[in-house]
PDB file of all heavy atoms in Angstrom:
ATOM      1  N   MET A   1      45.539 -11.987  21.914  1.00  0.00           N
ATOM      2  CA  MET A   1      46.226 -11.047  21.028  1.00  0.00           C
ATOM      3  C   MET A   1      45.751 -11.240  19.583  1.00  0.00           C
ATOM      4  O   MET A   1      45.391 -12.342  19.176  1.00  0.00           O
ATOM      5  CB  MET A   1      47.746 -11.265  21.091  1.00  0.00           C
ATOM      6  CG  MET A   1      48.376 -10.934  22.433  1.00  0.00           C
ATOM      7  SD  MET A   1      50.164 -11.209  22.412  1.00  0.00           S
ATOM      8  CE  MET A   1      50.683  -9.975  21.237  1.00  0.00           C
ATOM      9  N   ASP A   2      45.744 -10.164  18.806  1.00  0.00           N
ATOM     10  CA  ASP A   2      45.350 -10.208  17.401  1.00  0.00           C
ATOM     11  C   ASP A   2      46.615 -10.238  16.551  1.00  0.00           C
ATOM     12  O   ASP A   2      47.362  -9.261  16.504  1.00  0.00           O
ATOM     13  CB  ASP A   2      44.493  -8.986  17.070  1.00  0.00           C
ATOM     14  CG  ASP A   2      43.973  -9.022  15.642  1.00  0.00           C
ATOM     15  OD1 ASP A   2      44.249 -10.005  14.931  1.00  0.00           O
ATOM     16  OD2 ASP A   2      43.285  -8.071  15.236  1.00  0.00           O
ATOM     17  N   PHE A   3      46.825 -11.352  15.869  1.00  0.00           N
ATOM     18  CA  PHE A   3      48.041 -11.499  15.060  1.00  0.00           C
ATOM     19  C   PHE A   3      47.801 -11.162  13.591  1.00  0.00           C
ATOM     20  O   PHE A   3      48.706 -11.285  12.771  1.00  0.00           O
ATOM     21  CB  PHE A   3      48.583 -12.923  15.182  1.00  0.00           C
ATOM     22  CG  PHE A   3      49.104 -13.246  16.555  1.00  0.00           C
ATOM     23  CD1 PHE A   3      48.347 -13.967  17.444  1.00  0.00           C
ATOM     24  CD2 PHE A   3      50.351 -12.804  16.952  1.00  0.00           C
ATOM     25  CE1 PHE A   3      48.818 -14.268  18.717  1.00  0.00           C
ATOM     26  CE2 PHE A   3      50.839 -13.089  18.212  1.00  0.00           C
ATOM     27  CZ  PHE A   3      50.069 -13.823  19.096  1.00  0.00           C
ATOM     28  N   ASP A   4      46.575 -10.756  13.239  1.00  0.00           N
ATOM     29  CA  ASP A   4      46.287 -10.382  11.860  1.00  0.00           C
ATOM     30  C   ASP A   4      46.839  -8.994  11.560  1.00  0.00           C
ATOM     31  O   ASP A   4      47.090  -8.195  12.467  1.00  0.00           O
ATOM     32  CB  ASP A   4      44.780 -10.384  11.610  1.00  0.00           C
ATOM     33  CG  ASP A   4      44.188 -11.781  11.623  1.00  0.00           C
ATOM     34  OD1 ASP A   4      44.930 -12.725  11.304  1.00  0.00           O
ATOM     35  OD2 ASP A   4      42.993 -11.922  11.958  1.00  0.00           O
ATOM     36  N   LEU A   5      46.985  -8.701  10.270  1.00  0.00           N
ATOM     37  CA  LEU A   5      47.343  -7.349   9.867  1.00  0.00           C
ATOM     38  C   LEU A   5      46.200  -6.402  10.213  1.00  0.00           C
ATOM     39  O   LEU A   5      45.028  -6.780  10.182  1.00  0.00           O
ATOM     40  CB  LEU A   5      47.629  -7.301   8.368  1.00  0.00           C
ATOM     41  CG  LEU A   5      48.823  -8.109   7.862  1.00  0.00           C
ATOM     42  CD1 LEU A   5      48.906  -8.027   6.345  1.00  0.00           C
ATOM     43  CD2 LEU A   5      50.122  -7.644   8.486  1.00  0.00           C
ATOM     44  N   SER A   6      46.544  -5.158  10.528  1.00  0.00           N
ATOM     45  CA  SER A   6      45.535  -4.162  10.842  1.00  0.00           C
ATOM     46  C   SER A   6      44.808  -3.734   9.562  1.00  0.00           C
ATOM     47  O   SER A   6      45.241  -4.046   8.439  1.00  0.00           O
ATOM     48  CB  SER A   6      46.182  -2.943  11.493  1.00  0.00           C
ATOM     49  OG  SER A   6      46.985  -2.254  10.550  1.00  0.00           O
ATOM     50  N   ALA A   7      43.729  -2.979   9.728  1.00  0.00           N
ATOM     51  CA  ALA A   7      42.989  -2.489   8.567  1.00  0.00           C
ATOM     52  C   ALA A   7      43.872  -1.626   7.669  1.00  0.00           C
ATOM     53  O   ALA A   7      43.816  -1.719   6.429  1.00  0.00           O
ATOM     54  CB  ALA A   7      41.766  -1.702   9.027  1.00  0.00           C
ATOM     55  N   GLN A   9      47.154  -1.818   7.395  1.00  0.00           N
ATOM     56  CA  GLN A   9      48.141  -2.682   6.743  1.00  0.00           C
ATOM     57  C   GLN A   9      47.512  -3.473   5.607  1.00  0.00           C
ATOM     58  O   GLN A   9      48.134  -3.680   4.561  1.00  0.00           O
ATOM     59  CB  GLN A   9      48.770  -3.606   7.783  1.00  0.00           C
ATOM     60  CG  GLN A   9      49.684  -2.874   8.752  1.00  0.00           C
ATOM     61  CD  GLN A   9      50.005  -3.673   9.995  1.00  0.00           C
ATOM     62  OE1 GLN A   9      49.338  -4.674  10.298  1.00  0.00           O
ATOM     63  NE2 GLN A   9      51.008  -3.240  10.752  1.00  0.00           N
ATOM     64  N   LEU A  10      46.278  -3.923   5.789  1.00  0.00           N
ATOM     65  CA  LEU A  10      45.573  -4.620   4.712  1.00  0.00           C
ATOM     66  C   LEU A  10      45.318  -3.679   3.540  1.00  0.00           C
ATOM     67  O   LEU A  10      45.434  -4.077   2.368  1.00  0.00           O
ATOM     68  CB  LEU A  10      44.252  -5.190   5.228  1.00  0.00           C
ATOM     69  CG  LEU A  10      44.368  -6.367   6.204  1.00  0.00           C
ATOM     70  CD1 LEU A  10      43.003  -6.709   6.788  1.00  0.00           C
ATOM     71  CD2 LEU A  10      44.967  -7.588   5.515  1.00  0.00           C
ATOM     72  N   VAL A  68      56.902  -3.895   9.787  1.00  0.00           N
ATOM     73  CA  VAL A  68      55.822  -4.762   9.321  1.00  0.00           C
ATOM     74  C   VAL A  68      55.282  -4.257   7.987  1.00  0.00           C
ATOM     75  O   VAL A  68      55.028  -5.046   7.058  1.00  0.00           O
ATOM     76  CB  VAL A  68      54.699  -4.851  10.375  1.00  0.00           C
ATOM     77  CG1 VAL A  68      53.481  -5.589   9.813  1.00  0.00           C
ATOM     78  CG2 VAL A  68      55.201  -5.555  11.630  1.00  0.00           C
ATOM     79  N   ARG A 253      54.628 -17.400   6.544  1.00  0.00           N
ATOM     80  CA  ARG A 253      53.934 -16.159   6.890  1.00  0.00           C
ATOM     81  C   ARG A 253      54.072 -15.851   8.382  1.00  0.00           C
ATOM     82  O   ARG A 253      54.359 -14.720   8.787  1.00  0.00           O
ATOM     83  CB  ARG A 253      52.454 -16.269   6.513  1.00  0.00           C
ATOM     84  CG  ARG A 253      51.689 -14.947   6.607  1.00  0.00           C
ATOM     85  CD  ARG A 253      50.216 -15.129   6.263  1.00  0.00           C
ATOM     86  NE  ARG A 253      50.026 -15.934   5.088  1.00  0.00           N
ATOM     87  CZ  ARG A 253      50.199 -15.493   3.856  1.00  0.00           C
ATOM     88  NH1 ARG A 253      50.570 -14.236   3.652  1.00  0.00           N
ATOM     89  NH2 ARG A 253      50.005 -16.285   2.827  1.00  0.00           N
ATOM     90  N   TYR A 257      56.228 -12.436   9.683  1.00  0.00           N
ATOM     91  CA  TYR A 257      55.598 -11.300  10.346  1.00  0.00           C
ATOM     92  C   TYR A 257      55.930 -11.229  11.836  1.00  0.00           C
ATOM     93  O   TYR A 257      55.970 -10.141  12.421  1.00  0.00           O
ATOM     94  CB  TYR A 257      54.091 -11.293  10.080  1.00  0.00           C
ATOM     95  CG  TYR A 257      53.819 -10.760   8.691  1.00  0.00           C
ATOM     96  CD1 TYR A 257      53.500 -11.607   7.637  1.00  0.00           C
ATOM     97  CD2 TYR A 257      53.961  -9.401   8.421  1.00  0.00           C
ATOM     98  CE1 TYR A 257      53.298 -11.113   6.358  1.00  0.00           C
ATOM     99  CE2 TYR A 257      53.762  -8.899   7.148  1.00  0.00           C
ATOM    100  CZ  TYR A 257      53.434  -9.759   6.116  1.00  0.00           C
ATOM    101  OH  TYR A 257      53.254  -9.253   4.848  1.00  0.00           O
TER     102      TYR A 257
END
Side-chain angles (χ1 to χ4, degrees):
M1 294 180 65
D2 184 2
F3 292 100
D4 290 332
L5 296 176
S6 68
Q9 290 164 345
L10 290 172
V68 172
R253 190 182 315 283
Y257 282 103

